[in-house]
Amino acid sequence: MSCDPITRKLSQATMGLSTARRLTLVSGCLMLLFGSSWASNDTVPLVIWHGMGDSCCNPLSMGSIKKMVEEEVPGIYVLSLMIGNSVLQDTENGFLMDVNAQVSFVCNQLDQNPRLKEGYNAMGFSQGSQFLRAVAQRCPYPPMKTLISVGGQHQGVYGLPRCPGESSRICDWIRKELNSGAYTDAVQKHLVQAQYWHDPLNDDLYKKYSLFLADINQERGVNETYKKNLMSLKTFVMVKFLQDTMVDPVDSEWFGFYKPGQAKELETLQESAIFKEDRLGLAEMDKAGKLAFLSTDGDHLQFTREWFNEKLLPYLR
């Protein structure tokens, strides 16, 4: 429907009023006619990346999240990332496609999207969280403004206790491959979860052969560009699930991990070398109030709409 006849009548009806008063009345009438999204063009877009075993468009997960955000923030543009050319391929790539190739694929996708040119917020779910952090560190344009990590494993995992699809062959195969040689070339290049496998008992192997996590966590040396790009975030939000039965250790969701050389005692982000040496700028970000640590008393990625609206939506508005 064309707006011209409507705006012409509104303009005629408000003749004689001051310019400011006329604009107020006209914009108010247009909002009533077309809804609040008419005035929401300044809303920051949101990019979301799903977790292992999921896809961009599952109506019970990412599809539901996308719809919920669109309902709560009228006019927002939400892009749920599809890695590949179909939902099936997207799901398979979450297990089998080289993570660095996935990050490059996404960076190119974001760069070519004109609706993101002024910047966007990002929300990752499970492994999608650390993948989006890699996007922030490697691809500063278009600029990521706020990164929300929902159950992400920023120091990796040392266990896969409850793989999605517990009875499926792929979960059994993943465990077998990780246990037999997570840092072999074949496993690193062809198994996503191996690329953020962090073995505290074999720290040298992890630092030398991890193709993804060791790189984005600056384990082999400090890339100042990575550090600068991450520090440009307005806020880095990390959500921890207190009853998580999938992520091992769960402290990785707050950037914590096992103390080096053993797999029993844990250390927080603030106690870790990555923080004390400030290899990623996290110490400086923490000092500036840019880090937010949230928690919820649920299992992996289990939360209510009320919790989401109260805790996470404020970062998107």
Side-chain angles (χ1 to χ4, degrees):
M1 179 174 62
S2 172
C3 297
D4 290 344
I6 299 170
T7 53
R8 186 162 51 247
K9 289 180 180 179
L10 286 171
S11 181
Q12 292 170 352
T14 57
M15 289 295 290
L17 298 178
S18 67
T19 301
R21 182 61 177 158
R22 290 178 69 195
L23 286 173
T24 300
L25 288 171
V26 169
S27 62
C29 290
L30 288 173
M31 284 188 69
L32 287 172
L33 286 167
F34 298 107
S36 58
S37 61
W38 180 83
S40 300
N41 292 331
D42 59 343
T43 303
V44 178
L46 175 65
V47 173
I48 59 179
W49 196 334
H50 62 80
M52 174 177 66
D54 203 354
S55 71
C56 63
C57 314
N58 186 333
L60 299 178
S61 57
M62 294 301 100
S64 177
I65 293 293
K66 181 177 185 294
K67 181 180 178 181
M68 180 172 66
V69 172
E70 289 170 341
E71 289 174 351
E72 296 293 340
V73 187
I76 191 172
Y77 170 61
V78 181
L79 172 64
S80 184
L81 295 167
M82 177 188 288
I83 314 302
N85 299 315
S86 68
V87 170
L88 177 60
Q89 193 176 70
D90 186 23
T91 304
E92 291 176 344
N93 285 339
F95 291 106
L96 304 173
M97 183 179 177
D98 177 80
V99 180
N100 294 308
Q102 292 191 51
V103 171
S104 295
F105 178 87
V106 167
C107 287
N108 184 59
Q109 191 177 149
L110 301 183
D111 183 58
Q112 294 184 14
N113 190 326
R115 302 187 71 170
L116 304 177
K117 64 180 181 180
E118 299 300 325
Y120 62 96
N121 294 323
M123 183 180 293
F125 294 84
S126 198
Q127 68 181 21
S129 300
Q130 56 262 34
F131 299 171
L132 278 171
R133 176 162 65 85
V135 171
Q137 292 176 206
R138 294 174 179 175
C139 309
Y141 304 104
M144 184 185 296
K145 297 178 180 292
T146 291
L147 172 59
I148 302 174
S149 166
V150 185
Q153 306 97 44
H154 293 281
Q155 278 280 26
V157 297
Y158 186 52
L160 201 68
R162 190 169 64 81
C163 175
E166 192 62 37
S167 62
S168 69
R169 291 182 180 180
I170 193 168
C171 288
D172 292 335
W173 177 76
I174 288 172
R175 290 192 184 91
K176 181 180 177 182
E177 293 300 305
L178 290 174
N179 290 331
S180 64
Y183 299 119
T184 61
D185 190 58
V187 175
Q188 278 289 306
K189 288 183 178 178
H190 298 102
L191 179 57
V192 165
Q193 289 68 40
Q195 293 188 28
Y196 58 86
W197 184 260
H198 187 172
D199 187 344
L201 304 179
N202 291 286
D203 200 49
D204 290 341
L205 288 177
Y206 156 67
K207 290 179 178 179
K208 186 175 182 179
Y209 295 112
S210 171
L211 294 180
F212 173 70
L213 188 67
D215 177 68
I216 66 165
N217 281 1
Q218 310 268 50
E219 301 283 10
R220 293 187 282 263
V222 176
N223 181 329
E224 293 294 340
T225 300
Y226 281 10
K227 183 175 180 179
K228 176 184 175 182
N229 290 343
L230 189 63
M231 289 176 64
S232 70
L233 288 174
K234 177 182 177 182
T235 314
F236 180 12
V237 183
M238 288 172 269
V239 177
K240 179 179 180 180
F241 292 87
L242 300 178
Q243 306 302 322
D244 204 313
T245 59
M246 183 177 291
V247 175
D248 185 10
V250 67
D251 297 65
S252 187
E253 295 176 354
W254 275 0
F255 233 120
F257 203 65
Y258 293 110
K259 293 181 179 179
Q262 49 82 56
K264 292 184 179 180
E265 291 185 58
L266 296 160
E267 64 182 9
T268 65
L269 166 64
Q270 289 76 8
E271 295 168 334
S272 69
I274 198 171
F275 188 88
K276 291 178 178 178
E277 297 168 6
D278 209 15
R279 300 197 301 256
L280 283 171
L282 293 171
E284 194 166 336
M285 291 176 72
D286 194 30
K287 187 177 180 180
K290 288 187 171 187
L291 301 184
F293 300 89
L294 306 180
S295 65
T296 182
D297 192 25
D299 202 348
H300 194 62
L301 302 187
Q302 300 300 305
F303 52 84
T304 65
R305 180 167 184 159
E306 291 72 23
W307 180 89
F308 185 94
N309 289 349
E310 178 186 352
K311 300 296 184 180
L312 300 186
L313 272 186
Y315 294 102
L316 305 180
R317 289 187 169 127

